[in-house]
Amino acid sequence: MNGVTLTDADWFNNVDDRVYEDAFNVKNSPYSATGDGVTDDHVAIQAAITDAEAAGGRVFFPLGAYNIGTVGLLCASGNGVILEGATPRFVGASLFGVEFLYSGTAEAVTFGQSGAINYRNGLNNIQIRATGGATSSASAIGLKLINSHYFSSDKAAIKDFSSGIGLQFAPAGAAMFGASSVFKEFFAHLCQIAVQSIGTSAIIKDNATTFLGGGVLQSAAPAGSIGFDLRQYSDSYRFYAIDCEGYET
């Protein structure tokens, strides 16, 4: 395992009061991501995700902006893989201390694949932000979940997919669905569609997805924007203390 080695500076800059012994730190060797917002860190981060898929574990991101380029990140077959950003979220003028910068026209971050089910993956303390072509592409998606069961997210955000989709639940394959996902303090800013659930038959559906606290917010919403786009056979959504602003629904 690529464990997190803590220094005095790490305690202040990289982690709060938790030590992730199962963490694959993307800035450690052999990955060596920069987090400088300029260098393309896609290959380094994807290598850490691939190792975490094989072993089961948490991919840890110290404070920084991680340019993931145009390709996007994929966790296709791992269970228990969590992308974990360092806290605190607020760093200077930045809302999030850890941010993914995506400039492609497809999916920035994807969990799952058609014909299989992933269990207990997650995304915490990370903002996914569209840049370049991703801000104007209708096919761009911040976070896509395919057949993901028990997905969890705490204090995460998706921003600036102003022609695309922030979060998409995308079941695929017979009897596949996303079961019992939980999003706590999840934010979608300036997305054409903040949250979208798609399904085509009674056995292809999203099930028991819960949004807790915080809100799906839209400031200066793109024209015709949609807060929640829940299509046929998307059942059992629960919303608690959710604040939706500035939408045409």
Side-chain angles (χ1 to χ4, degrees):
M1 287 257 179
N2 180 45
V4 177
T5 301
L6 295 177
T7 66
D8 290 342
D10 288 328
W11 282 107
F12 181 76
N13 293 319
N14 292 347
V15 299
D16 52 11
D17 59 347
R18 299 166 293 181
V19 179
Y20 297 122
E21 294 181 355
D22 64 346
F24 295 84
N25 189 324
V26 298
K27 285 193 174 182
N28 284 356
S29 179
Y31 314 118
S32 303
T34 64
D36 63 7
V38 178
T39 305
D40 191 336
D41 285 325
H42 167 265
V43 172
I45 296 172
Q46 187 62 58
I49 291 174
T50 299
D51 286 350
E53 284 185 288
R58 196 178 306 262
V59 181
F60 181 72
F61 296 84
L63 298 178
Y66 296 85
N67 176 8
I68 61 173
T70 62
V71 178
L73 304 173
L74 173 64
C75 177
S77 59
N79 294 320
V81 176
I82 298 173
L83 306 186
E84 184 81 32
T87 54
R89 286 188 298 156
F90 293 91
V91 178
S94 176
L95 177 63
F96 277 79
V98 175
E99 188 172 55
F100 294 166
L101 307 178
Y102 175 68
S103 55
T105 59
E107 297 84 23
V109 179
T110 302
F111 285 86
Q113 60 184 323
S114 177
I117 298 176
N118 279 14
Y119 292 91
R120 301 190 185 284
N121 296 320
L123 177 80
N124 301 323
N125 300 313
I126 294 172
Q127 175 166 273
I128 302 170
R129 180 160 65 89
T131 63
T135 62
S136 58
S137 172
S139 60
I141 300 171
L143 175 62
K144 183 170 185 174
L145 305 181
I146 306 173
N147 303 333
S148 291
H149 282 40
Y150 313 114
F151 189 90
S152 64
S153 178
D154 188 9
K155 299 180 179 66
I158 299 172
K159 183 179 181 182
D160 291 340
F161 287 79
S162 52
S163 295
I165 300 167
L167 166 63
Q168 184 185 75
F169 299 93
M176 301 296 182
F177 57 92
S180 301
S181 296
V182 176
F183 291 80
K184 182 179 180 183
E185 294 188 49
F186 173 83
F187 298 87
H189 303 262
L190 297 173
C191 298
Q192 182 71 21
I193 299 175
V195 180
Q196 183 183 70
S197 170
I198 59 176
T200 57
S201 77
I203 60 172
I204 303 178
K205 60 187 179 181
D206 294 308
N207 183 38
T209 298
T210 301
F211 290 86
L212 294 167
V216 179
L217 304 177
Q218 190 81 333
S219 175
S225 61
I226 298 172
F228 290 87
D229 180 17
L230 306 182
R231 301 188 182 184
Q232 59 181 333
Y233 304 113
S234 298
D235 63 351
S236 300
Y237 278 80
R238 306 183 182 98
F239 302 93
Y240 298 93
I242 295 299
D243 185 11
C244 296
E245 297 181 358
Y247 289 117
E248 298 176 12
T249 57

